[in-house]
Amino acid sequence: MPLYLTDDQQMLRDSARSFMAEEGAIAKQLRHWRDRNCKDGFGHALWKQFAEMGFTGILVDEADGGLGLGHVEAGIVMEEIGRNLTPSPFLTTAVAFVAAIRGSGARERWLPGILAGDTVAAIAVDEGRKHRPEAIEAKAERAGNGFRLSGRKSFVVHGGSADVILVAARGDEGLSLFAVEKDAKGLDVAPERLADSSMAATVTLDGVEVDADAVVGEVGGGEAVLARLLDAGRAAAASEAVGLGTAAMDMTVDYLKQRKQFGRLIGEFQALQFRAAHLYSELEIARAATLKAQQMLDEEAGDAELMVSVAKAKAGRAAQLAVQEGVQMHGGIGMTDEYDIGLYMKRDRVLAELFGDPNYHADKVARMKGY
């Protein structure tokens, strides 16, 4: 497919851009909730507005009350979220969780709340300091008509605010995913504030008992569900990184056009022009790779997973370059809280780790290509 948006997708982009710029702006959302030390790190009223705009139903089938759109459209919204550093559970809930439960019985339990903007979901996959989904050790043991879950999960974004936590655990039948409700006995959630002021949690499961209905998909069939979840989450996170990097670049270029040194605008210095042009090129490549990955997911292409990792790696590195160049070109003021550029750097560091950092995905691409 051509690497550009259709007319309908451009209309969605324009709608999302104006909404995020007005309702999801840094001063109105991120700084507001950060300065109040909000336990959730985001505003529930804004999440309700997401639902009113139809954003929470982008990946939900029309038969289930959603818009029946695809990953490209979800990426359009994510890029605008990244531009404005808008704190919300859109990535974990409306993208990753919805992608996991599509076609399963769990959708009847959880989709109505998500579509209404009332339900928040969290993803509990990682167990160490780095994203290693292939190394899941949490246990799922048969217990009566259900299962008993034990283990510890780290970096569970929105874990303390979630109504449901999707837990990956291994049993005798293999890997399975379980939708665990927030008030389950034996579930301990310890919230942690991250570098960008967002909230995650360490989740401990001490003999948490769930019934068979909590299984998402088939028992022992969690590998396919997890792959679907991770592909969706990684592609959407790549879009957020592109949006974040683009906003940081725009902010920096605007500053180059205003700041004077030695009687000249610093944007007139050729060395800085070269760096700005290089950054623009890197971000456009990342945007193209991300759009291609999302198109392939929507087409259910067999090698979509490979392109998703290409996109996550490229977008992560382009966003990192954008925030580093931004802070440096701003000079000393770039490190002050008064200027937003530092907030973009903090979000970049957290986002890079979510669903695998650039090194993880570069290695994955190499292995998938036989190196």
Side-chain angles (χ1 to χ4, degrees), residues 316-340:
R317 287 179 174 165
Q320 182 181 43
L321 177 64
V323 297
Q324 288 178 341
E325 290 284 68
V327 169
Q328 187 175 48
M329 291 188 199
H330 273 76
I333 62 169
M335 297 303 295
T336 65
D337 189 63
E338 180 181 354
Y339 282 76
D340 289 342

Side-chain angles (χ1 to χ4, degrees), residues 21 40 62 124 150 220 317 334 358:
D40 296 317
E62 291 184 89
S150 302
R317 287 179 174 165

Side-chain angles (χ1 to χ4, degrees), residues 286-309:
R287 178 175 283 106
T290 301
L291 177 57
K292 184 62 177 179
Q294 290 159 348
Q295 289 174 343
M296 293 175 71
L297 286 177
D298 288 334
E299 296 167 356
E300 298 183 354
D303 52 351
E305 182 182 2
L306 172 65
M307 198 64 206
V308 167
S309 283

